Amino acid sequence: MSFLSTLRSQISCQGATSVTTFAAFLCDKIEPALCQAVYERTAKDIAEDIQKSPDFQGSRANLEVCILRYLAEQENFEYFKQYLMSPKQFCESYIETRVRNYCLDGSRRLGMFLESSLDILYQNILSAVSLSARIVKDRKDREDKISLWLDEFCRQLTEVINLPRSDLKGIEHQEVTDIEFLSSAIGEALEDLRARLMKGFAGADLSLFPRQPHTILAEHFSGCWAQCPFCGAVCTNTMWNHDGDHQVVYHRPEVVTEFAWWKILIPFVFKYGRYEPVIDICSSLVVSDRRFRVGGGPWIPYKTYRNTGALLSTWKILHDSSMQVYWKWFVSRFRTQLEALYNGKFHDRGRIPEAWQRITKQEALSELDKR
Ligand SMILES: [Zn+2]
Ligand SMILES: [Zn+2]
């Protein structure tokens, strides 16, 4: 080999080393930012996609109907208790379970979602590489081509991944003049990165997401979670800090509320030394001559419930004596469990009408569907 060709080869080798170093350094910086962007994008995509399913298509009122249907289908008293005690937490865990099943069932949708997000972001990065190269080539006035290329590259990716230009200062003085060669070297390094990430996504699970898809979906169903102090039904207002009073369309028999409010409010008749559950509905009681008491306090007429402290004064309970078939079925179906829970019996004022006992689960569910 002549002296000249040896020298040429050495120069070319040095250039190649610089380019390889540059591409490797850049891809090392891109990798965590790309991963994060993939997870963020995928979480949104999953939340959007699952919103197309019937449970999640409508408002929270629609979701509540789905939860009631699920509870009836499961026919598990413990689930009912959890829902009645903590409706918000139950709703969130219901959403989480549904999202988990949707992503990780036999069809392994999670892997497909991740791959699709990675493909889109990868294409965006490739476009930024070639566009930056084109722009730098046209700038004959600038010597610091690499610094200029990095400026342009980061600018192109502002909306795609979080890649601060300041993190790339370490390579901005690399002596690289062949921008086309640089572009193809970065392209190759990116392809390796893509293949590596794709392999990792095949076995991914939801724990890797910094922001979970079910959290995004649950936010869509946020709103006011105040519970009627008498029956525990959840306020239907879609704003968590709404003006005006809390309201709900369907109140429930009071017997279902003891789980949540027993320390505050005891809507039971004290008789023969024990509490007895009542099956009346608060939207009917508020126009009756009946009374309730808070803790061991004095008996208060239901009609003046709004004058009884901050908790009750924020509720507007409209008169409606009708009760959903669903709750009649629930009380009748879980009579034994409710009696054990209250250590009381459904009799006298709390006697369960015979008509309730004839209600089938199917009738309870059919009524929900009409809502
Ligand atoms: Zn109520
Ligand atoms: Zn409210």
Side-chain angles (χ1 to χ4, degrees), residues 215-230:
T215 309
I216 297 172
L217 190 58
E219 278 167 12
H220 181 78
F221 295 102
S222 61
C224 183
W225 287 96
Q227 287 180 265
C228 170
F230 291 120

Side-chain angles (χ1 to χ4, degrees), residues 266-295:
I266 304 179
F268 301 102
V269 190
F270 189 72
K271 197 176 173 188
Y272 308 126
R274 64 182 179 195
Y275 292 110
E276 288 175 353
V278 266
I279 55 167
D280 302 279
I281 188 164
C282 39
S283 50
S284 170
L285 287 166
V286 290
V287 294
S288 72
D289 292 325
R290 304 271 270 277
R291 296 179 304 157
F292 68 95
R293 68 197 294 201
V294 178

